[in-house]
Amino acid sequence: MNRHSHDSDRRRLLRAMGATGLLAGFNALLPAYARSSIGGSHLNAAAAQVPGGKPRDVVMDFHVRRETIDIAGGRASAITLNHLTPGPILELWEGKNAHLRVHNHLDESTSIHWHGILLPFQMDGVPGVAFPGIDPGDTFEVDFPVRQAGTYWYHSHSGLQEQVGQTGPTVIHSAEDDGINADREYVIVLNDWTFEDPHRLLAKLKEMSDYYNFSERTVGDLMEDVSKSGVQAALRDRLAWGNMRMSPRDIADVTGYTYSYLMNGMHPESNWTGLFTPGERIRLRVINASSMTYFNVRLPGLAMTVVAADGKEIQPVETDEFQIGVAETFDVVVQPKADQAYTIMAETMDRSGYARGTLAPRAGMMAPVPALREQPQRTMVDMGMDMSKMDMGGMKMGGGSMGHGSMKQMDMSGSSQGPAGMSHKDHDMGGSKMSGKMAHGTGAMAGSMGTGAMMEQSGPIIARHGPDHHGPGNLTVANVERYRLGERGTGLEDVNHRVLTYSQLRNVVPMQDRRDPSRTIEVHLTGNMDRYMWSFDGVKYSNATPIEFPYGERIRLILVNDTMMEHPIHLHGMFMELENKQDDYLPFKHTISVMPGSRVSLLITADEPGRWAFHCHLLYHMEMGMFRVVRVSDQSGDKNA
Amino acid sequence: MLNNYLLRSGGSLLLFLASVSAVQAASNGKSDLDSVVPAGPMDSASGAPVAWSKPINDQKLHKFVQIDRLEYGDPEGPNNYLWDAQGWVGGDFNKLWLKTEGEGPISGGSPESTEFQALYNRMISPFWGAQVGLRYDVNPNPDRGFAVIGLQGLAPYWFESDTALFVSEDGDVSFRGEFEYELLLTQRLILQPRLEINASARDTPEYGLGRGLNNTEMGVRLRYEIRREFAPYIGVRWEQKYGDTKDIARAEGESTSSTAFVVGVRAWY
């Protein structure tokens, strides 16, 4: 308890100091060794820099241990990999071989899943699906040819081990010149750390699902809404949410109340720092290795060029901020020209905390840490409400409230393809399509009630939900299912700079498998937040059977999010091509964050035989049953299972 | 080598005995199609050998114990205490639910009421559980048992509800409804109005109850969640008797209406 209050006090202090720029001055007083020692066993600047070198076969040992380490400003029992958390960089070369040995020094079974890596399923590292797990004292060896390049990661797939440190970065160098020409590369591994036993954490969620939510709407918020938008609108909003028994402030299940957010294993106070020489092109390989936390990543004062998503190259997109779902990776290139420090800010989506580091020409330099922004709210679009049927009487959509700063979901298609190096200032609304896109100032309407404006801003309705409401294990359904790949992530709708959207991801290579899908599989993401139940189609893993992908077929996988929160859905073993209207250049994803109330379509070529895990990558959602096995097998003859 | 591994995993138990398990890929880095479906018995959810452990633990039983009210009251009459606790153990759909509540004078003697319930709770909709089971009252005298059928859950607009029909061993039918609402003044300071209604189908004067609406108990409690699990509170409780029940109370010289200031604690684990 002291631990938590101390932590949250410190966070508040840091936030305040960061906002005024005091932090830079404060930490600069500390000697270098003190700054770097606060975090304990972590990826310091040297360890987080990708060494590179000549292409080679790699033999690497991973020693999994439970040990007491310094972490997040405290001392705790963690699971380390070669005495580190996050573990060491697994660096591989496309076209060469990997020989990896996992040694289990724990007194329980363990595993390592090589996230995003194409390999025989028996090596995929999912106990109970791909292999039996690694018993205490055992060594598990895998040996495979490396068939891809990019930024990936690895983590335990056993129980809740991932939460207590068993994660690490993977970097695979391309066999050919990828044209990115980075002078320097760093991994940026984001984690959420808790000093609580994760089993107790999960039990608390099961007993009281809003346990960690300390940003629910209060009487004060109601008064504020009333003064902004009148009694009638404010009450209507409250009643709409009350009728559903849902909270618009349900952004994250687990928050900064218990979590410390780490960058390369280091607390914001310890300030992980990567060095650069002004003018260099720096490739940041950003990996969200956290258990439950979405981050908004930005480097104030530096434009980022996104060059890869989930390890796979995309056509470069310049942006100022991106949201990264759990288990996703994004590679960005930055080119700081000035002799100054830049903060790498990774604010959590619910704004209950942040991870932070620095890019600096010299050790000890720092830049101001931006204050946390206002917490977002769920909307009726997230709820999948059909607002055309709602009473809009009394809703006034004054054109006077339109403005640059409050534009939600601007159409950036013109400018995002523009020349790199364009500054923010040039990025005016000139080329953007404004017709029908109304302002969504947070004060312009009561709380989060659906209005005409919101309908205009969100993606179009592309389907309606069927009659099956998926049983007691599911609370709500998306009555209308929207295409939301063009929308910014939750809480970034109104920020006054460029934000990456899924619709901007465009592959560098055209689609290889142009067959029409031979079958369509629709999976609904379902849950009951009140009872902390999570499932697909209202059925949890234990009561389900594998999803069958006949070997060799082209599959269209439809995901419909009936819940009111994002779920990062991960398919092992095969990449999914995201149908984001990029013609023949659909981007590859191994993890797709499905926005609430949305319908997402993915194409998969089932050419990797195996039993592959398919699950929500929010750790506690997975553990509660939001998990399936996808079976790619021969179904042509008598082997049909 | 791969086939070798697969043979061993198909044999399942052998693998547990092996101290080192090594897997090597075919030259194209993919598994053999024949290796996907194991030769032996397989788990229906994973399609993997049945002897393997499960990938996730979504069948775990959970438990919950809550003292909703443990309070000291200061009414016009003698000061009293009150407890109201419940707990459950089980999975998502099926739970064993236990409840106890009662009250008595601080000055000593036996409690005015002491009640225990053991119920089977079946989740019937996202927010509601149906409950059936037994209730046993130790006080007031003489002891008696009841059959219980109830409905507990969260009603629209956030009303925490617990309603039940009781049939005593003598065939007396009664009803109780309890409703709570939470108003967040801040994230930790919470105002909780509460309403309890009791009604009986016929007169049971030996227990001081008349036919119809027996009594209502309204309360407002202001608690501060030092932690989620531990919240002291202050509040007011107002009880009013009605109809025949009121007449019985009046005839026996008891109060028919009382207001009490209360101080207490709410806790759970």
Side-chain angles (χ1 to χ4, degrees):
Chain A
M1 178 176 149
N2 290 334
R3 158 92 251 137
H4 300 141
S5 47
H6 168 65
D7 230 35
S8 59
D9 286 343
R10 188 174 55 196
R11 259 194 302 278
R12 268 194 294 279
L13 178 66
L14 281 170
R15 203 179 304 164
M17 292 170 79
T20 55
L22 276 171
L23 198 61
F26 170 70
N27 258 17
L29 295 174
L30 295 171
Y33 71 85
R35 281 195 303 273
S36 58
S37 68
I38 296 173
S41 308
H42 49 67
L43 292 176
N44 55 36
Q49 185 163 358
V50 182
K54 283 212 156 50
R56 57 184 181 268
D57 292 339
V58 170
V59 179
M60 191 163 171
D61 290 278
F62 293 85
H63 294 274
V64 184
R65 295 183 180 90
R66 185 169 274 277
E67 50 192 344
T68 302
I69 60 163
D70 291 321
I71 189 165
R75 231 174 138 63
S77 168
I79 299 183
T80 62
L81 295 140
N82 302 356
H83 300 298
L84 287 171
T85 178
I89 300 176
L90 165 59
E91 194 178 17
L92 301 173
W93 277 265
E94 184 182 18
K96 297 290 180 179
N97 290 301
H99 186 87
L100 312 175
R101 297 187 288 238
V102 184
H103 309 278
N104 184 5
H105 304 284
L106 306 177
D107 56 9
E108 59 184 298
S109 177
T110 193
S111 58
I112 290 184
H113 162 57
W114 318 99
H115 186 110
I117 307 302
L118 304 171
L119 39 53
F121 83 92
Q122 296 91 340
M123 306 180 188
D124 192 45
V126 182
V129 176
F131 81 135
I134 312 169
D135 283 340
D138 275 7
T139 294
F140 184 68
E141 298 187 52
V142 301
D143 199 349
F144 61 93
V146 180
R147 296 191 265 148
Q148 66 199 115
T151 303
Y152 304 94
W153 61 300
Y154 58 86
H155 60 86
S156 169
H157 227 289
S158 302
L160 306 176
Q161 292 172 350
E162 178 193 311
Q163 175 76 83
V164 290
Q166 200 174 342
T167 68
T170 300
V171 172
I172 310 178
H173 297 285
S174 180
E176 292 157 20
D177 179 16
D178 56 15
I180 292 167
N181 296 320
D183 299 304
R184 206 187 279 265
E185 297 187 10
Y186 289 108
V187 294
I188 303 290
V189 184
L190 303 172
N191 286 96
D192 44 18
W193 173 263
T194 175
F195 288 93
E196 289 189 83
D197 173 1
H199 296 95
R200 181 62 201 145
L201 191 158
L202 177 57
K204 284 176 175 178
L205 289 170
K206 202 72 187 162
E207 294 165 31
M208 185 172 287
S209 61
D210 58 354
Y211 184 95
Y212 293 101
N213 187 346
F214 283 87
S215 49
E216 293 286 10
R217 295 205 293 193
T218 63
V219 171
D221 293 327
L222 178 62
M223 294 307 155
E224 208 171 294
D225 286 351
V226 166
S227 68
K228 273 179 188 162
S229 36
V231 176
Q232 200 185 353
L235 283 182
R236 183 165 40 209
D237 180 56
R238 288 302 165 110
L239 290 175
W241 286 99
N243 187 25
M244 294 184 294
R245 290 154 281 186
M246 309 289 281
S247 164
R249 295 277 178 81
D250 182 9
I251 308 296
D253 298 350
V254 191
T255 68
Y257 176 72
T258 187
Y259 277 151
S260 299
Y261 302 102
L262 309 181
M263 184 174 290
N264 289 336
M266 292 172 77
H267 192 276
E269 218 171 333
S270 322
N271 189 25
W272 176 85
T273 301
L275 299 179
F276 70 91
T277 304
E280 280 183 332
R281 282 171 63 82
I282 306 159
R283 179 176 188 164
L284 302 176
R285 297 172 177 268
V286 184
I287 300 162
N288 188 348
S290 67
S291 294
M292 290 296 285
T293 308
Y294 275 53
F295 291 95
N296 301 323
V297 180
R298 68 195 201 272
L299 290 85
L302 272 186
M304 301 181 278
T305 304
V306 185
V307 295
D310 285 2
K312 294 295 220 178
E313 260 187 83
I314 57 160
Q315 297 187 15
V317 181
E318 198 185 295
T319 197
D320 297 309
E321 184 162 14
F322 62 90
Q323 188 166 86
I324 183 167
V326 172
E328 289 188 303
T329 76
F330 285 102
D331 289 34
V332 301
V333 174
V334 294
Q335 194 166 13
K337 297 203 167 71
D339 184 46
Q340 68 167 83
Y342 296 90
T343 294
I344 308 169
M345 184 70 180
E347 170 193 74
T348 66
M349 183 169 69
D350 72 332
R351 268 72 154 173
S352 66
Y354 63 93
R356 162 258 191 168
T358 301
L359 285 182
R362 289 172 299 284
M365 290 177 73
M366 256 174 255
V369 178
L372 293 175
R373 295 168 294 193
E374 195 185 348
Q375 61 195 218
Q377 305 218 32
R378 298 294 179 196
T379 68
M380 293 294 161
V381 170
D382 296 327
M383 299 300 304
M385 299 289 276
D386 184 357
M387 289 170 302
S388 62
K389 289 180 183 156
M390 290 172 67
D391 174 23
M392 291 295 165
M395 295 288 186
K396 291 203 177 68
M397 294 314 304
S401 60
M402 286 180 68
H404 184 182
S406 58
M407 293 299 283
K408 173 170 175 167
Q409 180 42 36
M410 290 179 292
D411 186 338
M412 293 300 201
S413 54
S415 44
S416 63
Q417 310 287 332
M422 194 165 69
S423 84
H424 309 182
K425 301 283 186 293
D426 301 335
H427 194 79
D428 64 13
M429 299 301 296
S432 302
K433 294 172 193 149
M434 295 182 65
S435 59
K437 314 269 178 180
M438 305 291 283
H440 174 57
T442 42
M445 65 193 71
S448 46
M449 187 71 171
T451 67
M454 193 177 295
M455 268 194 297
E456 297 280 357
Q457 292 148 2
S458 57
I461 295 168
I462 51 175
R464 287 176 186 272
H465 201 277
D468 181 2
H469 281 213
H470 314 300
N474 186 44
L475 275 190
T476 55
V477 298
N479 284 316
V480 294
E481 304 166 2
R482 291 171 186 275
Y483 176 85
R484 302 190 70 182
L485 298 180
E487 293 183 51
R488 296 174 170 194
T490 296
L492 297 176
E493 298 89 348
D494 302 326
V495 301
N496 190 10
H497 55 225
R498 293 166 296 178
V499 175
L500 186 74
T501 62
Y502 273 155
S503 60
Q504 292 178 309
L505 306 181
R506 186 174 172 86
N507 211 326
V508 290
V509 291
M511 190 190 291
Q512 298 300 298
D513 188 347
R514 288 159 181 277
R515 291 175 295 166
D516 283 333
S518 53
R519 72 182 64 202
T520 298
I521 295 167
E522 185 167 323
V523 174
H524 286 240
L525 320 184
T526 49
N528 182 338
M529 182 65 191
D530 193 49
R531 306 289 160 104
Y532 213 71
M533 297 164 69
W534 299 103
S535 57
F536 290 125
D537 298 328
V539 180
K540 62 184 180 181
Y541 164 77
S542 294
N543 301 328
T545 54
I547 296 170
E548 305 287 355
F549 283 10
Y551 177 73
E553 283 191 20
R554 182 76 161 162
I555 310 280
R556 175 171 279 133
L557 177 65
I558 306 271
L559 300 177
V560 177
N561 189 349
D562 283 324
T563 77
M564 62 182 290
M565 70 191 307
E566 293 81 1
H567 297 277
I569 303 298
H570 174 44
L571 174 63
H572 290 218
M574 288 163 290
F575 279 91
M576 308 177 279
E577 290 158 69
L578 177 63
E579 294 197 85
N580 67 344
K581 303 187 179 174
Q582 289 286 5
D583 311 313
D584 282 343
Y585 292 84
L586 304 183
F588 291 115
K589 295 285 290 171
H590 55 54
T591 305
I592 168 83
S593 172
V594 185
M595 287 187 90
S598 79
R599 179 182 181 92
V600 171
S601 179
L602 303 138
L603 295 170
I604 301 153
T605 299
D607 58 355
E608 303 279 342
R611 299 187 300 269
W612 302 107
F614 170 72
H615 59 94
C616 177
H617 221 288
L618 298 175
L619 180 64
Y620 302 103
H621 290 194
M622 174 177 85
E623 188 71 3
M624 288 296 92
M626 210 167 185
F627 186 104
R628 287 289 186 277
V629 169
V630 162
R631 179 159 52 188
V632 180
S633 62
D634 183 4
Q635 299 192 2
S636 57
D638 56 359
K639 291 198 176 67
N640 201 331
Chain B
M1 193 64 174
L2 179 62
N3 285 338
N4 194 8
Y5 164 78
L6 293 166
L7 274 176
R8 282 198 288 153
S9 59
S12 71
L13 276 178
L14 272 176
L15 195 79
F16 291 115
L17 303 173
S19 65
V20 172
S21 32
V23 195
Q24 234 170 13
S27 59
N28 70 351
K30 298 187 182 190
S31 299
D32 193 303
L33 253 184
D34 294 335
S35 68
V36 178
V37 178
M42 63 179 152
D43 181 85
S44 61
S46 67
V50 76
W52 293 5
S53 61
K54 307 254 183 266
I56 58 168
N57 189 3
D58 63 2
Q59 302 278 49
K60 193 179 174 195
L61 295 187
H62 289 269
K63 61 188 183 324
F64 180 62
V65 180
Q66 182 186 40
I67 301 166
D68 191 31
R69 293 179 294 160
L70 177 62
E71 68 192 28
Y72 168 85
D74 181 17
E76 291 89 355
N79 292 350
N80 59 15
Y81 59 83
L82 177 153
W83 79 89
D84 178 4
Q86 58 182 314
W88 52 256
V89 57
D92 289 325
F93 288 91
N94 301 302
K95 289 183 171 78
L96 171 66
W97 208 293
L98 302 171
K99 302 177 185 180
T100 176
E101 62 177 273
E103 58 182 299
I106 291 286
S107 52
S110 63
E112 287 164 27
S113 67
T114 306
E115 168 188 320
F116 300 96
Q117 292 186 45
L119 308 165
Y120 162 71
N121 182 91
R122 170 75 189 175
M123 187 185 185
I124 53 164
S125 77
F127 288 104
W128 293 97
Q131 301 179 336
V132 293
L134 297 171
R135 164 180 156 190
Y136 195 78
D137 285 11
V138 178
N139 293 299
N141 277 323
D143 296 3
R144 59 175 178 165
F146 301 76
V148 185
I149 179 163
L151 200 59
Q152 185 166 0
L154 187 66
Y157 309 104
W158 301 104
F159 288 97
E160 199 69 63
S161 309
D162 183 0
T163 56
L165 272 178
F166 305 100
V167 181
S168 79
E169 57 197 45
D170 307 318
D172 302 316
V173 178
S174 57
F175 166 83
R176 181 191 296 155
E178 296 174 78
F179 310 93
E180 290 177 349
Y181 186 80
E182 297 198 335
L183 203 59
L184 272 63
L185 303 182
T186 73
Q187 299 300 328
R188 292 171 186 270
L189 187 65
I190 296 163
L191 192 69
Q192 186 186 57
R194 182 176 184 282
L195 171 67
E196 179 178 330
I197 300 169
N198 287 288
S200 298
R202 69 177 185 215
D203 290 332
T204 45
E206 61 272 35
Y207 292 100
L209 298 173
R211 184 159 179 261
L213 183 62
N214 302 138
N215 70 328
T216 57
E217 187 187 293
M218 278 186 270
V220 178
R221 289 169 180 80
L222 181 67
R223 73 170 187 266
Y224 185 79
E225 295 189 343
I226 296 170
R227 298 193 61 165
R228 287 280 193 233
E229 294 93 333
F230 186 81
Y233 63 79
I234 54 171
V236 183
R237 180 173 81 211
W238 175 65
E239 196 203 346
Q240 176 68 52
K241 293 187 170 74
Y242 301 94
D244 292 349
T245 307
K246 186 177 175 180
D247 295 340
I248 294 168
R250 191 179 288 140
E252 292 184 359
E254 287 175 11
S255 66
T256 60
S257 169
S258 77
T259 305
F261 292 96
V262 300
V263 51
V265 65
R266 180 183 191 259
W268 62 270
Y269 185 82

